[in-house]
Amino acid sequence: MDLKSLYAEILNEHNLNPVHKGVMEDPTFTLQGVNPSCGDNIFLQLKVDENGLISDGTFNGSGCAISQASVDMMLDDIIGKTKDEALRLASLFMGMIKGEVTDDSELEELDEAASLKNISFMPARVKCAVLGWHTMEEMLKGGLQTGSGSAPHCTTE
């Protein structure tokens, strides 16, 4: 099996059988992420304890295979991490998508999310891949305590 086939298989597995898709009871944070250019619409929910540790996460909503798989992979990466670690991983992911981080040894930390590396060569799909990550960044950087909000995410900035 070549590398492209393996990446496609990882993406399909997370899209067809997402581990973290669902609705959480009593999340600490809930934020809607919308990509108006293609209709991706997710609700990200995280449980974060008083020490900033992300103990659980879910998402629901609809979107293309890339947006759904990417947010599922993101949750694999950030559950069990602190807010600061999650934000650092988001920065690494954005650097990969922008083509600024290309060293495979650095990208290993993203685990399966690194399989989206070639999305950087498909500008129309970049917004799909970063939706969940942008939503998580906004949630954690925004100092939200509880509740929900909505934010369109149309760029890789």
Side-chain angles (χ1 to χ4, degrees), residues 53-69:
L53 185 73
I54 301 166
S55 61
D56 199 6
T58 63
F59 75 98
N60 62 64
S62 60
C64 69
I66 292 171
S67 73
Q68 300 290 286

Side-chain angles (χ1 to χ4, degrees), residues 141-157:
K141 285 181 179 178
L144 302 174
Q145 297 301 312
T146 59
S148 63
S150 176
H153 303 290
C154 299
T155 68
T156 57
E157 298 307 313

Side-chain angles (χ1 to χ4, degrees), residues 18-88:
V19 174
H20 303 288
K21 192 162 190 175
V23 177
M24 179 187 300
E25 283 193 35
D26 302 318
T28 310
F29 299 102
T30 299
L31 190 63
Q32 181 180 19
V34 178
N35 180 350
S37 67
C38 70
D40 295 334
N41 184 10
I42 63 163
F43 289 87
L44 181 63
Q45 298 179 301
L46 296 179
K47 277 193 182 177
V48 182
D49 71 17
E50 62 278 352
N51 298 315
L53 185 73
I54 301 166
S55 61
D56 199 6
T58 63
F59 75 98
N60 62 64
S62 60
C64 69
I66 292 171
S67 73
Q68 300 290 286
S70 182
V71 71
D72 196 55
M73 289 181 216
M74 178 197 75
L75 287 165
D76 278 349
D77 284 350
I78 68 168
I79 293 171
K81 303 278 193 314
T82 65
K83 285 184 190 183
D84 289 341
E85 290 170 318
L87 290 169
R88 188 182 53 71

